[in-house]
Amino acid sequence: MTDLIDQKQAALAAIDASTSIDALEEQRVAALGKKGWVSLALKTLGQMSPEERKEAAPAIQAVRGEVAGAIDAKKAELEAAALEAQLASETIDLTLPAPDQPKGSIHPVSQVMDELAEIFADLGFSVATGPEIEDDWHNFTALNMDESHPARAMHDTFYFPDKAADGAASSSEAVGQQKRMLLRTHTSPVQIRSMKDEGAPVRLIAPGRVYRSDSDATHTPMFHQVEGLVVDEDIHLGHLKWTLETFFKAFFEREDIVLRLRPSYFPFTEPSVEVDVGYSNEGAGKEGGRRVVGGHGDAPGHDWMELGGSGMVNRRVLEFAGIDADKYQGFAFGLGIDRIAMLKYGMNDLRAFFDGDPRWLNHYGFSPYDQPTLSAGVGVRP
Ligand code: FA5
């Protein structure tokens, strides 16, 4: 019995001296575990006479209770101390100055895309999308530019490595060419995809990124276009002109916009017209950037900027897309979104659009609260 008392005193001292939950667990196993000294003492009860047992059992149980109680108490104490330490390490000093807010802004191209969608939605257009990694057929062939068509060369196309050219037999080359993959050079393939999917009539815009190997102040290798397509019965060039004028007046929020429609050529439209807008270089925008001011591009200090191409959809294109070209006609246009953003918000150089310079973004970017709406205005500046 004295052994037991000694062991108890030693265990209580060790429990009290434990500085971690792990150390405490060791003490628990040593005393109360299967082979712990308390458990072994309990086992000796079986060999005792009933009288001895009557005396020894309560004593062992008392020791057991005392040791278990000490372990529980120490455990609670250690856990409380750990929590205290964690809370102390996580306190926030509210008297410190607030850290700089990370400040983002809406890129002018995104803002202009939202403005376009808002204006065209009001004219009954829906918004369509298509893949940026496109195949040769949708980007060129179905738009009436077969393989030998010279207009293909004008697009400075980024092609993906040609699988057919990697040692495949030349007999499969014709098939390979049709499926040759590229970065789309314009948004016009969305015309084909939409007509194939939806048939006629259609009335849509398709804004998105396009790619050409091209770079100067008004050309970048990646830029944005918005395609417009209307196919219905009795559609004519007058509808195209009215739509473009109505759009540009709403977009630039002025009535004196002067558009110049120049006869042009696109394989997928016939007749084709290029759309220019008159603008001023003279201090109208912030830092005197290019800006539409209304008026004629031939006036002194004014010039014309080419914004896009358009025309009546070539019947070959309608046929490629599975539309009855005797019943339906259509007009289409493709405008450079970055260019119209430059003219609206007065930037001079297109390349800065994609440099990611926070000073530029801060200056020309929009607040997320400036959601363009026709009622509140589509051209709100922060
Ligand atoms: C086209 O891309 C035709 N798909 C447009 C079209 C659609 C015509 C439907 C008829 C019917 P173009 O290559 O001219 O056409 O480009 C259209 C506009 O994109 C240009 O007027 C210009 O505003 C813009 N653009 C062209 N290349 C660049 C470039 N590298 N960087 C910025 N904008 C560009």
Side-chain angles (χ1 to χ4, degrees):
M1 208 60 218
T2 42
D3 272 2
L4 207 60
I5 302 294
D6 287 347
Q7 274 173 310
K8 183 189 84 177
Q9 296 302 359
L12 290 179
I15 289 167
D16 194 43
S18 299
T19 52
S20 70
I21 298 279
D22 285 348
L24 189 63
E25 177 63 9
E26 270 174 38
Q27 293 304 321
R28 191 192 65 76
V29 172
L32 308 177
K34 244 188 211 167
K35 291 184 182 152
W37 54 269
V38 177
S39 310
L40 294 179
L42 282 169
K43 274 186 198 153
T44 61
L45 291 174
Q47 291 122 36
M48 292 182 188
S49 65
E51 287 75 31
E52 282 174 328
R53 196 180 304 138
K54 215 170 168 187
E55 195 187 321
I60 300 174
Q61 289 296 5
V63 167
R64 185 175 179 277
E66 220 177 315
V67 172
I71 290 174
D72 286 347
K74 189 71 188 176
K75 192 171 177 208
E77 186 188 312
L78 287 173
E79 282 174 348
L83 184 64
E84 274 308 315
Q86 190 188 353
L87 288 175
S89 74
E90 288 177 2
T91 49
I92 300 169
D93 183 350
L94 294 175
T95 62
L96 287 175
D100 276 348
Q101 277 272 13
K103 193 164 170 267
S105 60
I106 306 286
H107 195 284
V109 169
S110 305
Q111 184 78 6
V112 166
M113 285 201 189
D114 288 347
E115 294 173 12
L116 292 168
E118 180 69 13
I119 295 169
F120 277 108
D122 194 51
L123 297 175
F125 285 63
S126 57
V127 176
T129 54
E132 288 170 34
I133 297 176
E134 190 48 283
D135 60 58
D136 200 71
W137 190 83
H138 286 92
N139 196 78
F140 290 125
T141 310
L143 289 162
N144 199 26
M145 285 180 271
D146 65 20
E147 256 133 71
S148 56
H149 202 291
R152 283 191 180 210
M154 284 159 38
H155 278 215
D156 302 311
T157 312
F158 290 115
Y159 283 100
F160 283 84
D162 190 355
K163 283 203 189 105
D166 294 347
S170 56
S171 61
S172 67
E173 213 165 86
V175 182
Q177 287 290 326
Q178 288 292 314
K179 273 278 152 212
R180 208 172 163 195
M181 301 308 283
L182 44 83
L183 290 175
R184 68 177 179 190
T185 57
H186 51 174
T187 42
S188 299
V190 186
Q191 288 188 30
I192 304 295
R193 291 184 176 275
S194 305
M195 285 192 279
K196 277 176 95 62
D197 286 353
E198 289 166 34
V202 272
R203 194 188 297 191
L204 58 84
I205 58 164
R209 290 195 188 102
V210 299
Y211 304 83
R212 289 182 203 176
S213 180
D214 216 354
S215 187
D216 61 33
T218 51
H219 295 80
T220 47
M222 186 281 295
F223 59 104
H224 300 81
Q225 287 187 341
V226 58
E227 196 76 9
L229 175 69
V230 171
V231 178
D232 210 330
E233 294 178 43
D234 302 323
I235 295 291
H236 54 73
L237 207 59
H239 293 128
L240 168 64
K241 186 163 183 271
W242 180 89
T243 305
L244 289 173
E245 273 176 5
T246 305
F247 162 66
F248 280 118
K249 282 179 181 167
F251 180 76
F252 289 113
E253 294 181 293
R254 51 194 307 157
E255 282 295 310
D256 57 355
I257 297 296
V258 179
L259 289 186
R260 179 172 76 173
L261 301 184
R262 263 183 302 124
S264 185
Y265 171 75
F266 295 101
F268 33 94
T269 46
E270 181 57 41
S272 302
V273 278
E274 227 142 0
V275 187
D276 302 336
V277 67
Y279 73 94
S280 161
N281 251 331
E282 292 177 338
K286 283 196 176 172
E287 292 98 42
R290 298 166 199 247
R291 189 172 275 229
V292 159
V293 286
H296 206 268
D298 292 327
H302 286 206
D303 206 347
W304 296 104
M305 190 185 290
E306 177 196 314
L307 295 186
S310 63
M312 298 302 294
V313 181
N314 191 311
R315 62 177 292 132
R316 293 260 292 150
V317 173
L318 294 173
E319 283 161 11
F320 269 117
I323 305 270
D324 179 353
D326 290 324
K327 184 167 175 205
Y328 291 104
Q329 306 78 45
F331 70 77
F333 56 84
L335 307 175
I337 294 183
D338 320 270
R339 298 253 181 107
I340 62 179
M342 281 171 89
L343 284 183
K344 183 160 180 180
Y345 295 116
M347 299 91 163
N348 273 327
D349 197 325
L350 186 54
R351 288 164 294 196
F353 272 54
F354 310 116
D355 285 347
D357 184 334
R359 291 164 302 179
W360 189 93
L361 292 167
N362 224 2
H363 183 77
Y364 288 111
F366 289 81
S367 153
Y369 299 115
D370 280 334
Q371 291 278 348
T373 58
L374 285 176
S375 51
V378 286
V380 209
R381 275 217 57 88

